[in-house]
């Protein structure tokens, strides 16, 4: 199967930031066969499918480097409440999260992300096998992390059981070229040093398994680490050996200069959740300093309870603005760098940059078509600024992953939208009943 996309504006996001105004892309089976500009060479003119893009933009699919997809059911719950993790999330997860609920929540999340041009996601949650299956069915690419935690989570009551779930995940997706199994200790305070050390040993034995963890995210984590171990989170994590090359650390807000250098030395990559950090009032991650130390930093939505939307376009402006606020200059984190953090740099964060993140010959064909016709986008003097400050998820019309169209003309080709929504509404209704029960039985003053 060969597809020719022509008469397009092609934003490659390769290392030289090549952009082709009158561009074309040839896809053969799963891969990008050729990219160019001007007249399409005769050798590429014949294809099974020839599509005139009518000057729309073709760019690499967006990569969401940190998510909890199934928490779509929690979206909009407990807004404007402090210490939500212990007040709402953990009790609700214990009471209401089952494999079925995870599947239904993940299906809605997949649909939302695909329609918004997200082609790859790094997820961490419970019953993660279900999430992997949903992503596989949707045709998406994913790094799926089984979460391990000591707060009596819904799918394991001991860490031995949790590690067994990671084994199952690894086994199920061993030969899957789009879904990668990952291990996701929740955070230092919810696993402790012994379990972090055990994760490090597990990954030494299974180097194909990536680590995902929340790190240096908030004041309560700093206090816990100081109180119980007389250390800062990065120091504690490092003492366990978990800071292995390629491990993905989410948030990384509470870092000093020495810790940034240490993370760089260890080969850590970072998922930056600008919106969710800001919504929680936590602060601004030192993105510029991390990137100056050669730490790859990718944009991320975080879970929909924390950031509401799974749309990566919605991360663009906040990521840019917060970096400018922190650096007190308009020059900080230029728009081109922001787009890079959603594409090639995000692929580096997930260790997938040999496969995706840019439109280059030989890479997997993960592409999105973005209409630039909306009045709010025009005129376009700088395509990166147009994407960061003016475009939105609704401008994405078509999405190809691994050479297959998963969205055509704003309609999912792999998930039946009405069915996904109706099953989600049913589960959300039951979930709401559960929330009312929990709220009614809770002694809030004791929390
Ligand atoms: Zn998170």
């Amino acid at each position: 199967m060969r597809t020719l996309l022509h008469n397009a504006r092609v934003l490659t996001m390769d290392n030289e930031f090549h952009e082709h105004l009158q561009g074309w892309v040839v896809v053969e089976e799963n891969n990008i066969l050729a990219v160019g500009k001007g007249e399409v060479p005769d050798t590429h003119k014949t294809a099974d499918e020839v599509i005139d893009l009518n000057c729309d933009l073709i760019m690499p699919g967006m990569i969401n480097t940190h998510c909890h997809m199934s928490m779509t059911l929690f979206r909009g719950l407990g807004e404007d409440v402090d210490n939500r993790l212990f007040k709402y999330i953990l009790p609700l997860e214990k009471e209401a999260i089952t494999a079925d609920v995870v599947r239904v929540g993940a299906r809605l999340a997949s649909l939302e992300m695909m329609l918004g041009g997200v082609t790859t996601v790094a997820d961490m949650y419970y019953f993660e096998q279900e999430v992997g299956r949903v992503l596989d069915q949707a045709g998406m690419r994913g790094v799926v992390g089984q979460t391990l935690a000591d707060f009596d989570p819904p799918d394991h009551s001991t860490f031995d059981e949790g590690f067994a779930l990671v084994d199952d995940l690894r086994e199920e997706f061993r030969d899957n070229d789009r879904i990668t199994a990952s291990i996701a200790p929740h955070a230092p305070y919810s696993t402790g040093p012994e379990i972090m050390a055990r994760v490090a040993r597990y990954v030494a034995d299974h180097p194909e398994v990536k680590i995902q963890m929340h790190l240096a995210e908030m004041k309560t984590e700093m206090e816990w680490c100081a109180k119980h171990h007389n250390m800062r989170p990065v120091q504690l994590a490092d003492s366990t050996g978990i800071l292995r090359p390629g491990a993905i650390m989410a948030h990384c807000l509470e870092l000093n200069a020495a810790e940034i250098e240490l993370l760089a030395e260890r080969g850590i990559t970072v998922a930056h959740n600008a919106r969710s950090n800001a919504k929680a009032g936590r602060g601004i991650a030192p993105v510029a300093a991390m990137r100056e130390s050669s730490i790859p930093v990718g944009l991320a939505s975080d879970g929909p309870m924390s950031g509401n939307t799974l749309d990566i376009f919605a991360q663009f402006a906040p990521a840019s603005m917060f970096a400018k606020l922190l650096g007190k200059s308009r020059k900080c984190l230029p728009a081109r760098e922001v787009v890079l953090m959603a594409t090639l740099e995000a692929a580096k964060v997930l260790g997938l940059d040999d496969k995706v993140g840019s439109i280059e010959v030989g890479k997997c064909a993960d592409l999105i078509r973005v209409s630039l016709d909306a009045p709010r986008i025009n005129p376009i003097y700088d395509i990166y600024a147009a994407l960061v400050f003016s475009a939105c998820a609704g401008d994405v019309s078509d999405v190809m992953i691994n050479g297959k169209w998963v969205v055509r003309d704003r309609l999912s080709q792999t998930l039946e939208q009405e069915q996904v929504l109706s099953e989600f509404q049913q589960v959300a209704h039951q979930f709401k009943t559960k929330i009312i029960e929990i709220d009614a039985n809770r002694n809030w003053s004791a929390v």
Side-chain angles (χ1 to χ4, degrees):
M1 174 74 181
R2 185 180 283 196
T3 304
L4 167 64
L5 308 167
H6 70 105
N7 192 22
R9 183 169 186 157
V10 180
L11 201 62
T12 65
M13 299 313 294
D14 63 12
N15 284 323
E16 289 79 38
F17 294 98
H18 283 119
E19 187 195 347
H20 307 312
L21 284 181
Q22 279 295 318
W24 47 264
V25 179
V26 181
V27 173
E28 186 159 69
E29 302 303 337
N30 309 135
N31 299 320
I32 296 165
L33 181 70
V35 187
K37 61 181 172 185
E39 183 73 13
V40 180
D42 288 345
T43 45
H44 296 317
K45 271 187 178 150
T46 340
D48 302 291
E49 188 180 33
V50 177
I51 303 175
D52 182 337
L53 273 283
N54 199 21
C55 299
D56 281 354
L57 184 76
I58 287 282
M59 64 178 287
M62 308 270 184
I63 297 170
N64 185 353
T65 60
H66 179 70
C67 193
H68 313 287
M69 290 166 60
S70 301
M71 293 187 78
T72 38
L73 279 157
F74 292 72
R75 177 161 27 214
L77 172 69
E79 297 285 0
D80 311 318
V81 174
D82 270 336
N83 199 13
R84 226 177 31 160
L85 179 67
F86 290 92
K87 278 183 182 169
Y88 268 107
I89 303 180
L90 300 185
L92 269 171
E93 281 178 336
K94 182 68 197 155
E95 289 271 336
I97 292 296
T98 63
D100 281 348
V101 168
V102 164
R103 189 184 64 252
V104 168
R107 276 161 65 80
L108 189 84
S110 285
L111 192 60
E112 178 184 348
M113 283 194 281
M114 283 195 302
L115 293 173
V118 174
T119 51
T120 300
V121 59
D123 191 72
M124 54 185 277
Y125 206 55
Y126 311 108
F127 301 102
E128 194 69 18
Q129 257 177 307
E130 294 290 342
V131 177
R133 288 172 191 160
V134 167
L135 287 169
D136 195 27
Q137 189 200 0
M140 288 182 71
R141 208 177 288 283
V143 176
V144 289
Q146 171 62 42
T147 292
L148 306 174
D150 66 2
F151 39 57
D152 202 14
D155 64 348
H156 60 280
S157 47
T158 66
F159 280 110
D160 285 346
E161 287 175 17
F163 278 88
L165 291 172
V166 182
D167 285 337
D168 294 345
L169 192 65
R170 200 162 47 81
E171 192 54 42
E172 176 155 351
F173 298 106
R174 185 186 296 278
D175 300 318
N176 193 306
D177 61 349
R178 284 182 289 104
I179 310 298
T180 312
S182 157
I183 186 165
H186 178 268
Y189 59 87
S190 47
T191 51
E194 276 174 33
I195 295 307
M196 285 194 277
R198 185 170 165 186
V199 169
R201 292 195 300 275
Y202 186 93
V203 174
D205 290 341
H206 307 289
E208 76 282 9
V209 176
K210 289 203 87 66
I211 297 169
Q212 301 181 63
M213 185 168 80
H214 298 109
L215 181 67
E217 181 185 1
M218 51 191 169
K219 292 277 181 295
T220 49
E221 176 187 353
M222 307 289 288
E223 287 160 11
W224 183 91
C225 289
K227 182 177 167 192
H228 296 280
H229 301 282
N230 198 26
M231 284 191 239
R232 288 167 58 88
V234 170
Q235 209 182 355
L236 178 63
D238 193 46
S239 72
T240 69
I242 200 171
L243 298 182
R244 297 175 61 85
I248 306 157
M249 297 294 144
H251 300 288
C252 292
L253 291 165
E254 304 284 348
L255 300 181
N256 59 34
E259 288 165 339
I260 291 173
E261 280 316 303
L262 179 75
L263 293 181
E265 259 174 50
R266 296 285 184 263
I268 295 304
T269 69
V270 170
H272 175 47
N273 305 269
R275 275 175 68 108
S276 100
N277 293 341
K279 255 193 92 196
R282 292 206 173 113
I284 300 175
V287 171
M290 288 192 280
R291 295 179 81 233
E292 274 162 24
S293 298
S294 304
I295 298 172
V297 181
L299 298 186
S301 64
D302 208 350
M305 187 175 182
S306 306
N308 299 61
T309 177
L310 304 181
D311 164 9
I312 293 297
F313 281 93
Q315 306 300 327
F316 282 171
S320 168
M321 290 173 186
F322 299 155
K324 291 176 194 317
L325 281 169
L326 197 63
K328 294 192 166 48
S329 163
R330 191 181 281 279
K331 283 185 183 169
C332 296
L333 202 63
R336 193 174 80 167
E337 300 298 305
V338 177
V339 178
L340 190 66
M341 288 167 66
T343 53
L344 187 57
E345 191 165 337
K348 284 182 185 155
V349 170
L350 305 190
L352 295 173
D353 50 312
D354 58 334
K355 280 186 163 185
V356 295
S358 57
I359 300 181
E360 291 181 83
V361 172
K363 280 201 170 180
C364 300
D366 289 17
L367 318 165
I368 62 175
R369 175 177 180 173
V370 184
S371 166
L372 301 172
D373 293 340
R376 80 188 114 72
I377 300 181
N378 286 281
I380 299 172
Y381 298 122
D382 172 341
I383 185 66
Y384 302 102
L387 287 170
V388 169
F389 295 110
S390 302
C392 66
D395 296 319
V396 175
S397 61
D398 300 82
V399 179
M400 176 185 274
I401 305 178
N402 219 28
K404 293 187 179 57
W405 291 112
V406 296
V407 174
R408 291 301 294 269
D409 205 11
R410 296 184 172 83
L411 290 173
S412 168
Q413 305 296 296
T414 50
L415 296 175
E416 173 50 59
Q417 179 157 335
E418 278 182 23
Q419 191 195 352
V420 170
L421 279 168
S422 94
E423 67 183 10
F424 182 82
Q425 297 300 1
Q426 279 175 29
V427 174
H429 182 73
Q430 294 160 11
F431 203 70
K432 199 172 175 184
T433 314
K434 193 73 82 177
I435 292 164
I436 292 166
E437 271 172 35
I438 290 175
D439 264 351
N441 295 333
R442 175 167 295 281
N443 175 4
W444 285 102
S445 60
V447 174

